[in-house]
Structure formats: C-alpha cells, structure tokens
Amino acid sequence: MRVEVPDDRVGVVVLGAGPGGYTAAFRAADLGLEVVLVERYERLGGVCLNVGCIPSKALLHLAKVVAEAEASAGHGLSFGAAEVDLDGVRAFKDAAVTQLTEGLAGLAKRRKVKVVHGEARFTGPNALDVGGTAIAFDHAIIASGSHASTLPFLPDDARVMDSTGALELPDVPGRLLVIGGGIIGLEMATVYDAMGSQVSIVELADQLIPGCDPDLVKPLAARIAERYAAIHLETSVTAVEAQDDGLHVTFDTRSPSGSGTGGGPDPSVFDRVLVAVGRRPNGADLGADAAGVEVDEWGFIRVDAQQRTNVPHIFAIGDVVGEPMLAHKATHEGVVAAEVISGLDVCFDAKAIPSVAYTDPEIAWTGLTETRARQEGVEYETAAFPWAASGRALANGRPDGTTKLLVDPATRRVLGAGITGTGAGDLIAEAVLALEMGAVAEDIALAVHPHPTLSETLGFAAEVAERTVTDIFLPRRRKT
Ligand code: NAD
C-alpha cells in the first residue's frame, strides 16, 4: 500500500496512550506544541488503566476487605464468610477504569490533543501510517509499551489466562495454578485467594519476587505459605494438557545449574492456570526500520538520557526502552521527552524508582538493594525496625512487617530502603524523597513523624542507623 504523506507536519506524534504516552502528549501540548496521540484501542490509558495497575488495584482493594474481615474474627468482630457476586465485583472494577479513561479523553480534548485510533507504523523518518491515514511529523515519541510473555507449550484453552484474562474474573476457580512468582503472579494470587480459590504458585527462581531482598519477601512468603495450597520454588512447568476435568500440569525441579532434574512435585490438575512469567517490549511491530530507529533482538529501543533514539527527532519512553517496566517510570520519561522536544535542557536522572508489590503484606523498595550492593561490591550498613515494635502495626493486628534502610557507612547517606507490611507502597514515597534529596539517616531520624502511624517505622529505622532509637533495645557495641 502506498500512503500519500501530507505536506503539513504535526509537531509531535505520540505512539501509544498508556501512562507514558498520554503524559508525554499532555505535557507537549501544555508547552505549546501541536500533538497527535495515536492509540490502537478504543480507550486511552494503555495496559495500566485498562488491564493492569488500576483494575488490579480495585480487585486488591476488595481482597483486602475480605482479609481484614477474616482477621477481625480473631479480634472479637465477626462478619461471616464473604459472599462474592462476580458481576458486582466486575462492575466496581470497570467503573474505576471507565472514570479514568473517560477523564483522559476529556483532558486530551481540553488540551486540543488530537486522538487518532488505529495501529501506527512508521513509513519513513517523518511519516507514519495509521490504518491507511498518513501522518507527517517533526518529532515522534514511541510509547508502545509491552505485552505478556507466554510459554511455548501451553494449550490454546480459555482456562489458560494471562493477567488480562485473570482480571476479567471469568469465575472463581476451585484450583488455580499461577506460573511465575513475580509481582503480577503474586498480586493476582492475592485476589483469587481472597475470592476463595485454592492457589498454587510455581516459580523458577529460588525465591518469590527475584531481585527483591529476601528479608523483605519473608513476611509475605510466611503468610502465603499458610494460606496457599502450594508454593514450588526452583521449579518449572514442563507440560499443561487440557482435558475435560481440568488442566493437567507436570513439573520439574531445577538443579543449581538451571537444568531440569526430572524430579519435582507430583503432576496436578487445576481448573485454571495464570501465566505471569514477565513482559516483552512492543518494539518490533512499529516498522521502526522505515524510520531508521534501531530495535534490539528483544524488542527494546535504546535511548539516551534525554529519551532520544538513534534518530535524533524520534524519542522513546516507558516499557519499550527497558526495565523497570513501571508506569511511574514511563510518565517521568514522557515528561522529559516532551520537554526536550520543546527546547528545554532536561534529562531523566531519577535517583530512585520505587517498586511495589501490592500483595498482602505489600512489599516496596527503592534505591540500592542488599542483593545489588553485594553484587556490585558497594559498602553499606543496614538498619531495620521490626513492625512488632510499632504501636500502630500492633493496633492494626498486622505486626508482620519490617522497615529497613541501607546507609553509606562513611557519609551516612541513605542509599536504599525496603518496607514490607500493610500499606508499604504508600510508605516508600518518603524514602524516595529522602534519596532524591540526598538525605543522611539523621535527616529522617530527626524529622518528626506523626504518632501512631506506620510512617514512624521509617523514622525508627533511621534512629536504628544512628543508634538513637528508644522504641527497641540495641545492645551496646563492644569496644575493640
Ligand atoms: P516478573 O519478571 O516480575 O516476574 C515473572 C516471574 O516469573 C519471575 O519471578 C520469573 O523468575 C518467573 N518465571 C519466568 N519463567 C518462568 C517459568 N517458565 N516457570 C516459572 N516461573 C517463571 O514479571 P511479571 O510479574 O509478569 O511482571 C511484568 C512486569 O510488569 C514487571 O516489570 C513488573 O515490574 C511490572 N508490573 C509491576 C506492577 C507493580 O508495580 N505493582 C504490577 C504488575 C506488573
């Protein structure tokens, strides 16, 4: 198909209307640029708003209500077993999504950002085709996101779901197998466990959420070990066979070298299988070579600190430029790309990008981890405050948490932070600010935290680092 490219160029075309793309488009419009935002789906918001962060948080909110109601039975307050009306649950989740996506459409309109729906493909260095319509541009921002990875041996069967399928909540399966003990797998496990499924998890690595410090994962691992049917670490799935009575799954335990041992858990039958084994970037299907943009073998597009690809007037942001694949990284990169295009001298230079698993308990971490410090030979001290000593955690009936700081022994600068416990995802924001501001541990220790809150645990961890803490007893250091 030959596409006639119009002579009129738009200032900026943004490919993809996820959190990175719509933020870039809106910032560019606010800076006075003419913007076209191209989105293949009917609704704006990308994976995050439509089939990711937001609907999962709506379901996790309900899961939390169930868990708290169950726990309160042991504290003198009983509600009885939860009755789940799946239509009502879906309606609650969909209402949140609809309000946000319609809000985005309204925000685009008010800014005069032109939204074009269809699949965008580059046809030249300054030209795109969107379903037969040509768009010529001065600058482009690629914000095409990522998609769920799959496993080659899975049967084509509706009972095998990815995260999008699982969020549709087709039913509450009696037996659910989650393949992949990363953030997506564990968040969806939290939802289905609360709804009443018997959940099993199979994870290839030797711990859940590989990459997160093991001490932070421990309270979650302990809680779900009691609730879930099984957690198989260092194990892979070797086959899934669809039969009338369920999905027949066989496993293989990995040896330390990574090869299969032929051993492992007995084969089992599940009513549904959720595959959550990571995400792959959407860099390969954009016709990027027509524009001269390099895409690596994985589908990632490399960029510099100003989000520029190898083609100076084409930028890329979000999941398609690399890990971590997180919405809040994408939005900040989107702002940088828009501002650079408008002539501002800025770059993406975040000191800390927080990661959060919205599990029960939540796990959040930012900056340096102990795992990475050891790999890279970075000197550090840890200072941890156990939530069992937090008045608020005890009053909440949830002392299963910990807050720790990593501190530079020489400069006392805060290098990283990790929090496990209810609401950890909100609490980590203070540590992000501390890292961005170059805080030393004493800055956090001397900041007056409101009592009684879980936020105090960060202040107490800093007091542990400074050895000024009074809420726990630290044995005196021996004189040498
Ligand atoms: P992930 O990479 O975080 O986890 C996938 C897990 O699957 C890993 O632990 C991996 O070891 C395991 N795995 C891989 N192959 C396997 C196999 N064959 N058998 C068993 N286990 C296997 O990926 P994810 O959880 O799918 O999430 C994808 C991306 O989306 C991540 O970058 C994540 O950060 C992001 N995300 C973030 C949030 C959040 O911020 N709360 C929520 C959802 C997703």
Side-chain angles (χ1 to χ4, degrees), residues 205-222:
D206 61 0
Q207 71 161 58
L208 300 172
I209 318 185
C212 178
D213 283 345
D215 59 334
L216 296 176
V217 178
K218 214 169 157 189
L220 171 72

Side-chain angles (χ1 to χ4, degrees), residues 176-250:
L176 172 69
L177 175 68
V178 177
I179 307 180
I183 289 181
I184 293 184
L186 291 171
E187 288 185 355
M188 293 316 301
T190 307
V191 169
Y192 277 89
D193 168 61
M195 299 289 160
S197 296
Q198 279 275 318
V199 177
S200 299
I201 294 182
V202 52
E203 164 58 50
L204 210 49
D206 61 0
Q207 71 161 58
L208 300 172
I209 318 185
C212 178
D213 283 345
D215 59 334
L216 296 176
V217 178
K218 214 169 157 189
L220 171 72
R223 183 174 165 87
I224 65 178
E226 279 178 14
R227 296 182 66 96
Y228 294 2
I231 299 171
H232 305 299
L233 299 179
E234 294 182 275
T235 304
S236 66
V237 169
T238 47
V240 177
E241 202 185 309
Q243 294 188 16
D244 289 346
D245 64 340
L247 299 161
H248 291 240
V249 179
T250 50

Side-chain angles (χ1 to χ4, degrees), residues 151 180 182-184 187 203-204 210 276-279 325-326 356 358:
L151 297 169
I183 289 181
I184 293 184
E187 288 185 355
E203 164 58 50
L204 210 49
V277 294
R279 295 186 66 83
M325 294 192 188
L326 296 170
V356 182
Y358 297 91

Side-chain angles (χ1 to χ4, degrees), residues 31 92 96 123 162 178 226 229 278 331 336 367 420 447 452 455 476-477:
L31 288 163
F92 168 66
T123 52
D162 62 10
V178 177
E226 279 178 14
T331 57
V336 168
T420 301
S455 74
R476 285 216 183 126
R477 277 186 181 146

